[in-house]
Amino acid sequence: MKWINKLERSLYKYPIKPFFKYIVFAMGGVYILNLFFPTLFLPFRLALVKENVLAGEIWRLVSFLFLPFAGSPFATLLSLYFYYFIGTSLERRWGARRFLIYYLFGTLGTIMGAFISGYAPNTYLNLSLFFAFAIEFPEFQILLFFFFPIKMKWLALINALFFLASFIYQPFAGKIAILFSLLNLFLFFGGDIYNRVRQEIYQYKRRKAFKDQFK
């Protein structure tokens, strides 16, 4: 989009370097600290909660980015590696400035969502990175559960179903918060996604019409 390109060019005067790996390292640090010092209640102290922000805890506007996936050490390590891989891959693909714009819009969208619903995790912001990677590298293949090869476009479809289920079962404020968390995805890829869906529908109708001719 032209306005995104213009915004990116406006950042050329600043020495912006790839940064996402530091966010992943911070996630790992938070997980380790919480593992060994649970009485610090770091997930609670860092979470993006509207009430606490309005009470003066403004660090939550940034600190929520550093909250890792809360699971077993192995599951968390796997998720951190996955975040690192997709985030740094997008940085190399787009450049640090364009990636910063994408991540910043997602962060701002998440913050707006939190002020609407009262709370917002970084789950959907991280999911927006995954969707962006799947759009840019749809044929890239990973081993699901270390055994089953699957392309990113199909894994993205599975995650889209998870997103849809979360969206359906959330109250109205939660629905708005989820949509705002994916603001960057809509801004960057909304037109492309619409055109691809329209093209798939068109191709489906052509194939169906072709088959109907021989019935």
Side-chain angles (χ1 to χ4, degrees):
M1 294 183 181
K2 292 182 178 179
W3 68 270
I4 294 177
N5 294 334
K6 184 177 180 180
L7 183 57
E8 182 182 3
R9 286 194 297 271
S10 70
L11 297 177
Y12 285 166
K13 56 187 175 182
Y14 302 106
I16 298 173
K17 302 295 183 181
F19 66 91
F20 189 70
K21 61 183 178 182
Y22 300 112
I23 292 180
V24 176
F25 292 157
M27 287 182 179
V30 169
Y31 182 82
I32 292 172
L33 285 174
N34 189 61
L35 188 65
F36 289 99
F37 305 100
T39 55
L40 293 177
F41 301 109
L42 285 179
F44 171 76
R45 295 178 185 276
L46 303 180
L48 181 55
V49 182
K50 173 185 175 182
E51 181 180 349
N52 295 91
V53 173
L54 294 178
E57 299 178 5
I58 59 175
W59 65 81
R60 293 175 181 265
L61 297 175
V62 176
S63 63
F64 81 97
L65 298 173
F66 309 136
L67 289 174
F69 169 77
S72 66
F74 177 74
T76 301
L77 180 62
L78 194 62
S79 71
L80 292 178
Y81 170 76
F82 191 64
Y83 290 153
Y84 179 91
F85 175 73
I86 62 175
T88 56
S89 295
L90 287 172
E91 280 183 318
R92 287 192 297 270
R93 176 85 165 192
W94 294 343
R97 293 173 180 83
R98 196 175 189 86
F99 181 84
L100 174 63
I101 294 170
Y102 185 81
Y103 196 76
L104 183 60
F105 272 111
T107 300
L108 293 176
T110 303
I111 292 172
M112 288 188 287
F115 273 76
I116 293 171
S117 66
Y119 164 78
N122 60 16
T123 305
Y124 299 102
L125 171 59
N126 293 330
L127 187 61
S128 75
L129 297 178
F130 171 78
F131 282 138
F133 183 89
I135 291 172
E136 292 287 356
F137 307 96
E139 301 301 320
F140 186 86
Q141 187 170 277
I142 65 171
L143 291 178
L144 187 64
F145 305 122
F146 302 102
F147 292 103
F148 306 105
I150 183 172
K151 292 183 178 180
M152 290 300 297
K153 60 183 179 182
W154 303 124
L155 194 57
L157 179 60
I158 295 172
N159 275 276
L161 294 176
F162 158 75
F163 165 77
L164 182 60
S166 299
F167 182 80
I168 290 173
Y169 290 104
Q170 286 287 334
F172 179 75
K175 296 180 193 297
I176 298 298
I178 290 175
L179 289 177
F180 270 96
S181 296
L182 296 177
L183 177 66
N184 52 354
L185 187 70
F186 300 138
L187 289 176
F188 272 66
F189 298 106
D192 292 337
I193 294 173
Y194 171 76
N195 289 332
R196 289 188 186 188
V197 171
R198 187 174 64 174
Q199 184 66 21
E200 288 295 328
I201 294 174
Y202 173 73
Q203 293 294 341
Y204 169 77
K205 289 181 177 179
R206 285 191 60 187
R207 290 192 296 268
K208 186 175 184 301
F210 179 78
K211 292 179 181 178
D212 290 343
Q213 291 178 356
F214 296 93
K215 287 184 178 180

